[in-house]
Amino acid sequence: MKKEYMLIAVVSAIIGAGLMFVAVGGNGSSGIEGWVPVNSEVVSAMEKNVDAVDNPTGNAVTDAVKPADISKQDVSETATSPVQQQKQQSDLININTAGLAELQDIPGIGEKKAQAIVDYRNTHGAFTSVSDLIKVKGIGDKMLQKMKPHIGL
């Protein structure tokens, strides 16, 4: 009895999928129109996938659908926007969220100055600008200039 229900369910699903395919127009394209990968790593991965489809090795994975043709020039134009900016910002140490160990990674900051930064932050709240670090005991203009390339908010 259960086998009959399973068989009916599978056949219904296949027929339903086929009807949807026909109703949509039978277009076999997959993916999102106009989509362009954000970085070169995605392009290289997609090119590897295309190569695998063009030169099958008897592997079931090679039955994948080929991605749309994408030129590296198109990708290089879009890759300079949010992804690279975020990567550059992620290299900076956030002075509002960093702990003692992270703060000590900043050139010129040892255990005592890191603790002073955390104490100032706990007492006065988050820093509104990087230059607010001058208000921390032990950090002056020279120290701030040395730290600026490594810190952010």
Side-chain angles (χ1 to χ4, degrees):
M1 182 74 106
K2 289 184 179 181
K3 287 182 181 180
E4 292 172 352
Y5 288 125
M6 288 298 293
L7 181 63
I8 291 171
V10 170
V11 170
S12 297
I14 292 171
I15 292 172
L19 289 174
M20 287 301 294
F21 185 74
V22 171
V24 172
N27 186 356
S29 67
S30 62
I32 301 170
E33 280 186 42
W35 179 80
V36 177
V38 183
N39 57 33
S40 59
E41 289 85 12
V42 173
V43 172
S44 64
M46 292 176 72
E47 287 173 350
K48 287 179 186 176
N49 188 22
V50 170
D51 292 341
V53 172
D54 290 340
N55 303 316
T57 59
N59 190 342
V61 176
T62 60
D63 294 337
V65 178
K66 287 185 184 182
D69 290 324
I70 300 166
S71 69
K72 290 184 180 182
Q73 184 179 3
D74 292 340
V75 173
S76 64
E77 290 172 5
T78 59
T80 57
S81 53
V83 173
Q84 287 183 347
Q85 289 174 355
Q86 185 178 15
K87 188 174 182 179
Q88 289 171 350
Q89 289 175 352
S90 68
D91 293 341
L92 300 177
I93 296 172
N94 186 328
I95 58 174
N96 285 326
T97 60
L100 289 173
E102 281 182 294
L103 289 170
Q104 291 178 36
D105 290 339
I106 301 169
I109 300 295
E111 187 176 340
K112 288 186 179 183
K113 286 185 185 173
Q115 186 62 51
I117 293 171
V118 171
D119 291 343
Y120 183 89
R121 193 172 63 201
N122 290 338
T123 305
H124 298 92
F127 294 99
T128 56
S129 70
V130 172
S131 61
D132 285 347
L133 278 171
I134 292 180
K135 298 174 185 175
V136 176
K137 183 180 178 183
I139 298 178
D141 287 328
K142 282 186 177 181
M143 176 63 71
L144 181 62
Q145 293 307 317
K146 187 177 180 182
M147 295 167 53
K148 272 188 177 179
H150 306 279
I151 59 175
L153 296 179

mmCIF file of all heavy atoms in Angstrom, residues 63-90:
data_model
loop_
_atom_site.group_PDB
_atom_site.id
_atom_site.type_symbol
_atom_site.label_atom_id
_atom_site.label_comp_id
_atom_site.label_asym_id
_atom_site.label_seq_id
_atom_site.Cartn_x
_atom_site.Cartn_y
_atom_site.Cartn_z
ATOM 1 N N ASP A 63 27.966 16.788 -16.115
ATOM 2 C CA ASP A 63 26.665 17.001 -16.735
ATOM 3 C C ASP A 63 26.083 18.362 -16.391
ATOM 4 O O ASP A 63 24.943 18.651 -16.677
ATOM 5 C CB ASP A 63 25.675 15.907 -16.292
ATOM 6 C CG ASP A 63 26.098 14.544 -16.810
ATOM 7 O OD1 ASP A 63 26.831 14.502 -17.815
ATOM 8 O OD2 ASP A 63 25.701 13.531 -16.205
ATOM 9 N N ALA A 64 26.874 19.206 -15.783
ATOM 10 C CA ALA A 64 26.408 20.539 -15.375
ATOM 11 C C ALA A 64 26.104 21.401 -16.590
ATOM 12 O O ALA A 64 26.642 21.208 -17.664
ATOM 13 C CB ALA A 64 27.469 21.221 -14.511
ATOM 14 N N VAL A 65 25.259 22.395 -16.397
ATOM 15 C CA VAL A 65 24.904 23.325 -17.457
ATOM 16 C C VAL A 65 26.029 24.341 -17.611
ATOM 17 O O VAL A 65 26.574 24.838 -16.637
ATOM 18 C CB VAL A 65 23.587 24.040 -17.097
ATOM 19 C CG1 VAL A 65 23.225 25.056 -18.154
ATOM 20 C CG2 VAL A 65 22.484 23.025 -16.929
ATOM 21 N N LYS A 66 26.387 24.681 -18.854
ATOM 22 C CA LYS A 66 27.433 25.673 -19.090
ATOM 23 C C LYS A 66 26.965 27.047 -18.636
ATOM 24 O O LYS A 66 25.843 27.442 -18.895
ATOM 25 C CB LYS A 66 27.756 25.768 -20.590
ATOM 26 C CG LYS A 66 28.514 24.616 -21.134
ATOM 27 C CD LYS A 66 28.873 24.914 -22.577
ATOM 28 C CE LYS A 66 29.550 23.756 -23.238
ATOM 29 N NZ LYS A 66 29.929 24.069 -24.605
ATOM 30 N N PRO A 67 27.827 27.801 -17.938
ATOM 31 C CA PRO A 67 27.448 29.164 -17.572
ATOM 32 C C PRO A 67 27.505 30.077 -18.789
ATOM 33 O O PRO A 67 28.109 29.746 -19.798
ATOM 34 C CB PRO A 67 28.491 29.564 -16.535
ATOM 35 C CG PRO A 67 29.658 28.680 -16.811
ATOM 36 C CD PRO A 67 29.106 27.407 -17.385
ATOM 37 N N ALA A 68 26.890 31.236 -18.668
ATOM 38 C CA ALA A 68 26.881 32.209 -19.762
ATOM 39 C C ALA A 68 28.292 32.663 -20.079
ATOM 40 O O ALA A 68 29.173 32.623 -19.232
ATOM 41 C CB ALA A 68 26.019 33.403 -19.369
ATOM 42 N N ASP A 69 28.517 33.079 -21.320
ATOM 43 C CA ASP A 69 29.835 33.571 -21.698
ATOM 44 C C ASP A 69 30.110 34.878 -20.978
ATOM 45 O O ASP A 69 29.327 35.818 -21.056
ATOM 46 C CB ASP A 69 29.909 33.792 -23.213
ATOM 47 C CG ASP A 69 29.899 32.484 -23.967
ATOM 48 O OD1 ASP A 69 30.484 31.510 -23.484
ATOM 49 O OD2 ASP A 69 29.301 32.468 -25.049
ATOM 50 N N ILE A 70 31.233 34.924 -20.288
ATOM 51 C CA ILE A 70 31.596 36.102 -19.511
ATOM 52 C C ILE A 70 33.030 36.444 -19.853
ATOM 53 O O ILE A 70 33.908 35.609 -19.779
ATOM 54 C CB ILE A 70 31.486 35.814 -18.010
ATOM 55 C CG1 ILE A 70 30.056 35.426 -17.677
ATOM 56 C CG2 ILE A 70 31.942 37.001 -17.188
ATOM 57 C CD1 ILE A 70 29.915 34.804 -16.326
ATOM 58 N N SER A 71 33.239 37.681 -20.211
ATOM 59 C CA SER A 71 34.608 38.085 -20.518
ATOM 60 C C SER A 71 35.286 38.575 -19.257
ATOM 61 O O SER A 71 34.650 39.111 -18.359
ATOM 62 C CB SER A 71 34.618 39.188 -21.578
ATOM 63 O OG SER A 71 34.103 40.373 -21.036
ATOM 64 N N LYS A 72 36.583 38.403 -19.195
ATOM 65 C CA LYS A 72 37.335 38.845 -18.026
ATOM 66 C C LYS A 72 37.314 40.359 -17.909
ATOM 67 O O LYS A 72 37.401 40.895 -16.826
ATOM 68 C CB LYS A 72 38.774 38.330 -18.095
ATOM 69 C CG LYS A 72 38.852 36.845 -17.906
ATOM 70 C CD LYS A 72 40.275 36.364 -17.890
ATOM 71 C CE LYS A 72 40.311 34.862 -17.697
ATOM 72 N NZ LYS A 72 41.650 34.334 -17.628
ATOM 73 N N GLN A 73 37.152 41.058 -19.025
ATOM 74 C CA GLN A 73 37.096 42.513 -18.985
ATOM 75 C C GLN A 73 35.853 42.963 -18.227
ATOM 76 O O GLN A 73 35.906 43.878 -17.426
ATOM 77 C CB GLN A 73 37.087 43.071 -20.404
ATOM 78 C CG GLN A 73 37.117 44.590 -20.440
ATOM 79 C CD GLN A 73 37.142 45.111 -21.867
ATOM 80 O OE1 GLN A 73 37.071 44.338 -22.821
ATOM 81 N NE2 GLN A 73 37.241 46.400 -22.019
ATOM 82 N N ASP A 74 34.696 42.313 -18.467
ATOM 83 C CA ASP A 74 33.473 42.658 -17.756
ATOM 84 C C ASP A 74 33.649 42.479 -16.258
ATOM 85 O O ASP A 74 33.197 43.277 -15.460
ATOM 86 C CB ASP A 74 32.293 41.799 -18.222
ATOM 87 C CG ASP A 74 31.891 42.110 -19.657
ATOM 88 O OD1 ASP A 74 32.250 43.199 -20.152
ATOM 89 O OD2 ASP A 74 31.238 41.253 -20.274
ATOM 90 N N VAL A 75 34.312 41.411 -15.869
ATOM 91 C CA VAL A 75 34.498 41.114 -14.462
ATOM 92 C C VAL A 75 35.455 42.101 -13.826
ATOM 93 O O VAL A 75 35.239 42.566 -12.717
ATOM 94 C CB VAL A 75 35.010 39.672 -14.281
ATOM 95 C CG1 VAL A 75 35.377 39.409 -12.841
ATOM 96 C CG2 VAL A 75 33.960 38.703 -14.753
ATOM 97 N N SER A 76 36.520 42.477 -14.538
ATOM 98 C CA SER A 76 37.490 43.394 -13.948
ATOM 99 C C SER A 76 36.868 44.766 -13.692
ATOM 100 O O SER A 76 37.253 45.457 -12.770
ATOM 101 C CB SER A 76 38.718 43.528 -14.843
ATOM 102 O OG SER A 76 38.363 44.118 -16.075
ATOM 103 N N GLU A 77 35.877 45.137 -14.478
ATOM 104 C CA GLU A 77 35.219 46.418 -14.258
ATOM 105 C C GLU A 77 34.394 46.393 -12.993
ATOM 106 O O GLU A 77 34.325 47.367 -12.261
ATOM 107 C CB GLU A 77 34.318 46.756 -15.452
ATOM 108 C CG GLU A 77 35.105 47.083 -16.715
ATOM 109 C CD GLU A 77 34.201 47.221 -17.926
ATOM 110 O OE1 GLU A 77 32.969 47.161 -17.766
ATOM 111 O OE2 GLU A 77 34.718 47.386 -19.029
ATOM 112 N N THR A 78 33.744 45.268 -12.699
ATOM 113 C CA THR A 78 32.901 45.197 -11.513
ATOM 114 C C THR A 78 33.687 44.792 -10.280
ATOM 115 O O THR A 78 33.245 45.036 -9.172
ATOM 116 C CB THR A 78 31.750 44.189 -11.735
ATOM 117 O OG1 THR A 78 32.321 42.916 -12.021
ATOM 118 C CG2 THR A 78 30.851 44.645 -12.838
ATOM 119 N N ALA A 79 34.841 44.184 -10.435
ATOM 120 C CA ALA A 79 35.594 43.673 -9.293
ATOM 121 C C ALA A 79 36.233 44.775 -8.464
ATOM 122 O O ALA A 79 36.631 44.540 -7.347
ATOM 123 C CB ALA A 79 36.665 42.703 -9.773
ATOM 124 N N THR A 80 36.326 45.970 -8.992
ATOM 125 C CA THR A 80 36.961 47.041 -8.231
ATOM 126 C C THR A 80 35.993 47.713 -7.275
ATOM 127 O O THR A 80 36.400 48.553 -6.501
ATOM 128 C CB THR A 80 37.541 48.108 -9.181
ATOM 129 O OG1 THR A 80 36.489 48.607 -10.004
ATOM 130 C CG2 THR A 80 38.660 47.532 -10.016
ATOM 131 N N SER A 81 34.736 47.345 -7.320
ATOM 132 C CA SER A 81 33.783 48.030 -6.467
ATOM 133 C C SER A 81 33.689 47.441 -5.064
ATOM 134 O O SER A 81 34.682 47.394 -4.366
ATOM 135 C CB SER A 81 32.442 48.107 -7.176
ATOM 136 O OG SER A 81 32.037 46.851 -7.592
ATOM 137 N N PRO A 82 32.575 46.985 -4.601
ATOM 138 C CA PRO A 82 32.382 46.679 -3.189
ATOM 139 C C PRO A 82 33.301 45.585 -2.638
ATOM 140 O O PRO A 82 33.701 45.658 -1.495
ATOM 141 C CB PRO A 82 30.930 46.240 -3.094
ATOM 142 C CG PRO A 82 30.304 46.539 -4.385
ATOM 143 C CD PRO A 82 31.375 46.770 -5.375
ATOM 144 N N VAL A 83 33.624 44.595 -3.433
ATOM 145 C CA VAL A 83 34.410 43.482 -2.912
ATOM 146 C C VAL A 83 35.800 43.926 -2.496
ATOM 147 O O VAL A 83 36.244 43.638 -1.391
ATOM 148 C CB VAL A 83 34.493 42.343 -3.953
ATOM 149 C CG1 VAL A 83 35.439 41.268 -3.496
ATOM 150 C CG2 VAL A 83 33.127 41.777 -4.215
ATOM 151 N N GLN A 84 36.483 44.653 -3.370
ATOM 152 C CA GLN A 84 37.832 45.102 -3.026
ATOM 153 C C GLN A 84 37.804 46.122 -1.909
ATOM 154 O O GLN A 84 38.677 46.129 -1.051
ATOM 155 C CB GLN A 84 38.543 45.672 -4.252
ATOM 156 C CG GLN A 84 38.957 44.593 -5.228
ATOM 157 C CD GLN A 84 39.725 45.150 -6.402
ATOM 158 O OE1 GLN A 84 39.761 46.355 -6.627
ATOM 159 N NE2 GLN A 84 40.349 44.267 -7.155
ATOM 160 N N GLN A 85 36.805 46.986 -1.892
ATOM 161 C CA GLN A 85 36.704 47.957 -0.815
ATOM 162 C C GLN A 85 36.504 47.253 0.517
ATOM 163 O O GLN A 85 37.115 47.607 1.517
ATOM 164 C CB GLN A 85 35.556 48.928 -1.070
ATOM 165 C CG GLN A 85 35.829 49.884 -2.205
ATOM 166 C CD GLN A 85 34.616 50.743 -2.529
ATOM 167 O OE1 GLN A 85 33.544 50.560 -1.961
ATOM 168 N NE2 GLN A 85 34.778 51.653 -3.455
ATOM 169 N N GLN A 86 35.656 46.243 0.524
ATOM 170 C CA GLN A 86 35.415 45.508 1.761
ATOM 171 C C GLN A 86 36.675 44.768 2.206
ATOM 172 O O GLN A 86 36.990 44.721 3.385
ATOM 173 C CB GLN A 86 34.264 44.529 1.567
ATOM 174 C CG GLN A 86 33.870 43.803 2.836
ATOM 175 C CD GLN A 86 32.706 42.878 2.603
ATOM 176 O OE1 GLN A 86 32.363 42.563 1.471
ATOM 177 N NE2 GLN A 86 32.103 42.407 3.664
ATOM 178 N N LYS A 87 37.420 44.225 1.242
ATOM 179 C CA LYS A 87 38.648 43.521 1.572
ATOM 180 C C LYS A 87 39.669 44.481 2.174
ATOM 181 O O LYS A 87 40.337 44.163 3.151
ATOM 182 C CB LYS A 87 39.224 42.848 0.324
ATOM 183 C CG LYS A 87 40.394 41.945 0.621
ATOM 184 C CD LYS A 87 40.828 41.189 -0.608
ATOM 185 C CE LYS A 87 41.969 40.247 -0.269
ATOM 186 N NZ LYS A 87 42.398 39.495 -1.416
ATOM 187 N N GLN A 88 39.773 45.693 1.606
ATOM 188 C CA GLN A 88 40.699 46.679 2.146
ATOM 189 C C GLN A 88 40.270 47.093 3.549
ATOM 190 O O GLN A 88 41.111 47.255 4.430
ATOM 191 C CB GLN A 88 40.758 47.913 1.239
ATOM 192 C CG GLN A 88 41.456 47.648 -0.074
ATOM 193 C CD GLN A 88 41.311 48.818 -1.040
ATOM 194 O OE1 GLN A 88 40.558 49.745 -0.818
ATOM 195 N NE2 GLN A 88 42.045 48.751 -2.141
ATOM 196 N N GLN A 89 38.979 47.261 3.775
ATOM 197 C CA GLN A 89 38.504 47.636 5.090
ATOM 198 C C GLN A 89 38.682 46.499 6.084
ATOM 199 O O GLN A 89 38.907 46.745 7.264
ATOM 200 C CB GLN A 89 37.037 48.063 5.034
ATOM 201 C CG GLN A 89 36.841 49.392 4.336
ATOM 202 C CD GLN A 89 35.376 49.742 4.187
ATOM 203 O OE1 GLN A 89 34.508 48.938 4.460
ATOM 204 N NE2 GLN A 89 35.100 50.953 3.736
ATOM 205 N N SER A 90 38.582 45.264 5.642
ATOM 206 C CA SER A 90 38.719 44.143 6.557
ATOM 207 C C SER A 90 40.155 43.971 7.021
ATOM 208 O O SER A 90 40.407 43.353 8.038
ATOM 209 C CB SER A 90 38.215 42.849 5.905
ATOM 210 O OG SER A 90 39.070 42.486 4.846
#
